[in-house]
Amino acid sequence: MALALRFDIVLLTVLLSALLLTKATSTSHRHHDRHHHHLKSLHFTLFQHETINRTGYIVVNGVTGPGVSQTTTPFGTVFVFQDPMTVTANRSSKAVGIAQGTSVTSSLDGLQSISVAKITLRLKNHSGSVSIVGGTHNVKPADHPVVGGTGDFLFVQGYVTSSPVDLRGLTVVYKIAFHLYWPPYATQASQV
């Protein structure tokens, strides 16, 4: 009898703990979901076209590592760019922005860099710029935090994912996926 009572108490304790854990998890998810429903957001994809020695230039040669190719530059290479942004991967599609920035090769294999860019956009319902900073991988997708914006993108937060599409030839193409969010105070200020 005492063993059965102990088993019942243990079982009841385990069930009660599981119930409380489920309730706490459920409550935090509801709060989390409710929080995101109040955020104004915008998600879209553009394509960046970078042509070597036309829209992108090496201004400081790196010191060691692999040579210059479509995917690598020597460690320490400083690269600047002013690239068109289009609605499709085809360079002749509609241009809706421009990406201006710089990157410094930060890995000895020549595949990674620290990048800073201002992306000026002229979309159907939004115009202004989005500023990003972060690590770029030349042959793999990379997320870049949004650190600010101007115009319709004032107070914007979020991230931009850069993914290689075509790395052959003089012009390389990257898919740029924007995941933008405005905090509640930004949308309230725009309604005043």
Side-chain angles (χ1 to χ4, degrees):
M1 174 83 166
L3 184 59
L5 184 57
R6 280 191 210 145
F7 177 74
D8 289 342
I9 291 173
V10 169
L11 181 61
L12 182 61
T13 304
V14 168
L15 288 174
L16 186 57
S17 296
L19 180 63
L20 288 174
L21 183 60
T22 302
K23 178 68 174 167
T25 304
S26 173
T27 302
S28 68
H29 282 296
R30 260 189 260 125
H31 175 71
H32 183 70
D33 291 341
R34 185 174 61 238
H35 178 70
H36 283 291
H37 288 301
H38 294 296
L39 291 180
K40 175 183 169 187
S41 65
L42 183 63
H43 305 275
F44 59 96
T45 300
L46 296 176
F47 295 86
Q48 179 179 352
H49 304 267
E50 187 165 82
T51 305
I52 305 303
N53 294 328
R54 191 163 137 217
T55 67
Y57 296 89
I58 292 175
V59 294
V60 174
N61 289 318
V63 294
T64 188
V68 174
S69 74
Q70 298 307 89
T71 58
T72 61
T73 51
F75 181 75
T77 298
V78 177
F79 187 79
V80 295
F81 56 91
Q82 183 172 325
D83 300 333
M85 305 284 290
T86 62
V87 295
T88 71
N90 185 336
R91 174 62 183 98
S92 62
S93 68
K94 181 179 179 181
V96 294
I98 191 158
Q100 299 169 296
T102 187
S103 64
V104 178
T105 305
S106 58
S107 65
L108 292 172
D109 65 4
L111 290 171
Q112 297 178 56
S113 59
I114 304 299
S115 301
V116 177
K118 178 182 99 172
I119 303 170
T120 304
L121 300 167
R122 295 173 309 281
L123 305 173
K124 183 178 179 181
N125 296 320
H126 296 85
S127 65
S129 68
V130 174
S131 297
I132 62 171
V133 65
T136 300
H137 195 290
N138 296 349
V139 296
K140 296 179 183 174
D143 292 331
H144 302 86
V146 171
V147 296
T150 65
D152 292 332
F153 301 102
L154 191 61
F155 300 118
V156 75
Q157 300 173 353
Y159 65 100
V160 171
T161 302
S162 171
S163 304
V165 174
D166 185 1
L167 300 174
R168 297 167 288 136
L170 287 178
T171 299
V172 294
V173 180
Y174 293 93
K175 179 173 83 170
I176 311 296
F178 293 80
H179 306 279
L180 306 177
Y181 305 89
W182 284 263
Y185 63 82
T187 56
Q188 292 167 356
S190 67
Q191 294 171 357
V192 175

